[in-house]
Structures are given as C-alpha cells and as structure tokens.
Amino acid sequence: LSFCTWISTSSSTSKISELLMQGTNMGIIEGRRLLNQNSDIAPDVHNILNDFVTMQEDSVETLKKYL
C-alpha cells in the first residue's frame, strides 16, 4: 500500500492536510518576512524566495480540498 493510496483513503486525511497546512503557512510567513525585511537582497535570491512563497501558497490551496 503506497503512501498516496493510503492518504487518499484514510479517514485521517483531513488531519494530515491540516498539519501540512500549518507547516506550510509557517513557511509562507517566514518567506514573506524575509522578503519584507531584507530589501537589499540580491535580485536572484529575491526571485527564488518569491517563487518559493508562491509555491507554498499554491500548496495551501491544494491542501484545502482535503480538509
């Protein structure tokens, strides 16, 4: 039984989604904080961090389906 199969059929899917969302939101907050408090970072670092935050925000939207 693969993890993906287990997660899609488990009654705890909602709880797992909740936990993943909590961790992901922590990453979003930290990423936004870094972007806002470090205006002097290199443009490539800024872009990477911004892409990371955007990816995390997209992940939260996906996880909401499993609550």
Side-chain angles (χ1 to χ4, degrees):
L1 185 66
S2 74
F3 179 74
C4 291
T5 302
W6 176 81
I7 194 116
S8 66
T9 60
S10 175
S11 62
S12 62
T13 301
S14 177
K15 185 62 178 178
I16 293 168
S17 179
E18 178 185 348
L19 294 171
L20 287 169
M21 286 178 66
Q22 288 174 357
T24 303
N25 280 321
M26 289 169 44
I28 292 169
I29 291 167
E30 185 62 24
R32 289 283 173 216
R33 184 175 292 135
L34 289 168
L35 286 168
N36 292 337
Q37 294 178 354
N38 296 290
S39 59
D40 59 342
I41 60 175
D44 57 335
V45 174
H46 182 276
N47 291 338
I48 291 169
L49 186 53
N50 195 56
D51 288 348
F52 171 78
V53 170
T54 300
M55 181 185 69
Q56 295 299 298
E57 290 169 339
D58 291 343
S59 294
V60 168
E61 291 305 312
T62 300
L63 288 166
K64 286 179 182 179
K65 299 174 189 172
Y66 296 97
L67 287 175

